[in-house]
Amino acid sequence: MTDRANILLWTDSTAAYLDAIKAAGLSDRVTVDTLSRKDKPSPDQLTRTEALMAAGVPAGLLPAMPKLRWAQSMTAGVEGWLSLPDLPPTLTLTCARGTHRESMPENIIGALFHVGKPYALAAENQKHGKWVHTVAQPLNGKTLGILGLGAIGQEVARLAAALGMRVIGTKRRPVPMANVSEVLPSDRTHEVLAQSDFLLLLLPATPETDNFINTERLGMMKPHAWLLNFGRGHLIKDDDLIAAVRAKKIAGAVLDVFRQEPLPADHPFWSTEGILVLPHIGGPHPQRNEIVARLFVENLGRFLRGESLKEVVDRESGY
């Protein structure tokens, strides 16, 4: 390792990260290369880079970086990284877990209001000059089930509890937490399904969660319940959800993530009454680079001091 650690920022917007490095007083301890996503690292960059920040990398790249010891993913989901056939076993991989905390919970609460309140219907009726009296459904007193009580889920629980909702959910290692009436292990998911008026999916992408919401589990939900997916598209078996909504097995679904994005124009989600398609708006917001930069720079300081990093990915668990 040289006197200055060699860092590669492989992203199209680097200003927030460079500013954060400077503000943290680390500029004289690192040599920073910046690279847009459409470009590839040069042979020299591959040879000397010790720490990398990127949304993802293609297969074949990481083994060509002999000095690389740490990679910071710009996203919370790391399934793309973990699916690499040549991900070095000794490479420390960290993710951006928790960096959606400022925006995604608000968008989830917005989805609850969209389902329960008739504003969208009123806006449509206004286009035709129609006065149609509708009754808003209260969220107060309803049960919100959250599968995946991580940082985002806990913030949603706080906001939902303030609205008078009862919150229950699952966590891999259940511990009591504020604003959540019951925290259950994943093998008791069926209890959450049966009790929830709204079911929120925030599970990570792992082999165990692929097609997690299928006909069997949809059948455990209340007929008036709504499904909200702000986690990963592969959590849902698409055909099973479409069939359940069309058959009124559940009331409907609000979906922000999909197996293929953009969602193809001929996908049945678009035309199924009761399913709202959101164009993956849950997490992004204007200040997200600044928030990810705070995490990156904290980890950079730890990296330079030889300390343990934050948000290290557990490869066995998949997140």
Side-chain angles (χ1 to χ4, degrees):
M1 184 173 176
T2 60
D3 291 338
R4 288 175 176 254
N6 290 283
I7 313 300
L8 176 60
L9 304 180
W10 196 4
T11 179
D12 293 332
S13 301
T14 59
Y17 302 94
L18 295 172
D19 289 346
I21 291 171
K22 181 178 180 180
L26 300 176
S27 298
D28 60 348
R29 300 191 60 190
V30 296
T31 297
V32 181
D33 287 337
T34 61
L35 193 67
S36 67
R37 289 298 299 163
K38 65 179 178 61
D39 297 324
K40 295 182 179 180
S42 68
D44 182 56
Q45 289 171 330
L46 291 173
T47 299
R48 57 190 172 84
T49 295
E50 299 166 65
L52 166 71
M53 188 196 72
V57 298
L61 183 116
L62 297 178
M65 305 177 80
K67 293 185 178 180
L68 184 67
R69 295 188 288 124
W70 163 46
Q72 171 73 56
S73 171
M74 298 176 66
T75 60
V78 289
E79 54 268 30
W81 293 84
L82 296 181
S83 67
L84 291 170
D86 50 14
L87 182 66
T90 59
L91 177 67
T92 299
L93 176 64
T94 57
C95 67
R97 186 183 299 118
T99 56
H100 291 102
R101 190 182 289 120
E102 283 77 0
S103 182
M104 187 180 289
E106 295 179 4
N107 284 321
I108 292 168
I109 296 299
L112 292 175
F113 275 101
H114 175 85
V115 169
K117 310 302 178 183
Y119 296 125
L121 179 59
E124 185 62 28
N125 286 333
Q126 182 175 345
K127 296 177 183 177
H128 308 287
K130 294 171 59 178
W131 177 286
V132 180
H133 182 70
T134 51
V135 178
Q137 297 298 315
L139 298 177
N140 185 21
K142 296 295 195 303
T143 295
L144 171 64
I146 302 176
L147 302 186
L149 280 165
I152 303 301
Q154 292 175 51
E155 179 62 12
V156 172
R158 183 185 71 83
L159 297 174
L163 295 172
M165 301 186 77
R166 172 177 175 261
V167 182
I168 60 176
T170 61
K171 188 173 177 62
R172 185 175 58 153
R173 298 186 181 93
V175 293
M177 58 183 60
N179 305 305
V180 183
S181 298
E182 290 186 273
V183 182
L184 303 174
S186 56
D187 62 3
R188 295 177 65 183
T189 295
H190 60 282
E191 298 180 39
V192 179
L193 298 175
Q195 296 181 51
S196 298
D197 300 299
F198 304 94
L199 182 69
L200 172 62
L201 305 181
L202 292 173
L203 295 169
T206 68
E208 291 73 26
T209 60
D210 188 41
N211 288 326
F212 190 80
I213 297 299
N214 53 21
T215 296
E216 180 183 4
R217 290 194 171 96
L218 288 164
M220 298 176 186
M221 296 175 62
K222 298 177 179 180
H224 68 261
W226 281 79
L227 178 70
L228 289 74
N229 189 12
F230 283 77
R232 295 289 182 271
H234 94 294
L235 299 175
I236 294 173
K237 191 171 183 180
D238 293 1
D239 291 344
D240 288 4
L241 175 60
I242 292 165
V245 173
R246 288 177 174 171
K248 307 298 183 184
K249 300 293 185 181
I250 66 171
V254 179
L255 309 177
D256 187 53
V257 287
F258 307 90
R259 290 180 178 273
Q260 181 180 346
E261 297 185 7
L263 186 68
D266 61 350
H267 196 288
F269 279 159
W270 289 109
S271 57
T272 299
E273 185 177 356
I275 292 181
L276 175 64
V277 172
L278 302 178
H280 205 144
I281 62 173
H285 59 91
Q287 289 77 43
R288 184 157 189 273
N289 276 331
E290 285 78 1
I291 294 169
V292 177
R294 290 202 297 265
L295 171 62
F296 172 71
V297 166
E298 181 171 355
N299 266 342
L300 179 58
R302 290 168 177 250
F303 176 76
L304 294 172
R305 295 189 297 270
E307 299 173 358
S308 298
L309 305 184
K310 294 185 64 176
E311 310 301 348
V312 174
V313 172
D314 182 337
R315 297 194 188 190
E316 183 175 349
S317 299
Y319 58 92

